[in-house]
Amino acid sequence: MTPEAIFQTCSTIAMLSWLLLIIISPFWFGFDKLFIGVIITLLCLVYLWLILQSFSPAGFSDFG
């Protein structure tokens, strides 16, 4: 998979996870802790991996 496809997949998972959190969280009180602990952490690690793999150190000066 290309980095763009991985990013798009992660973004879709994040959007669906937010919807799931909004719908299920009021009824299942422990769900939000599981959700934050597992899914968001995994997405953050994937995004970090994509940034480190896709950008060169010279490109970081373009941020900000």
Side-chain angles (χ1 to χ4, degrees):
M1 287 180 82
T2 64
E4 292 85 10
I6 295 171
F7 182 80
Q8 183 64 36
T9 303
C10 288
S11 295
T12 302
I13 291 170
M15 181 188 65
L16 294 173
S17 299
W18 276 110
L19 290 173
L20 189 64
L21 182 61
I22 290 169
I23 294 168
I24 292 180
S25 184
F27 304 108
W28 187 13
F29 297 110
F31 178 75
D32 55 345
K33 290 180 181 61
L34 172 72
F35 181 79
I36 291 170
V38 175
I39 295 174
I40 293 177
T41 302
L42 290 175
L43 288 173
C44 289
L45 292 173
V46 171
Y47 285 141
L48 176 65
W49 178 77
L50 284 172
I51 288 171
L52 294 175
Q53 292 295 318
S54 299
F55 294 106
S56 66
F60 286 116
S61 63
D62 295 337
F63 288 103

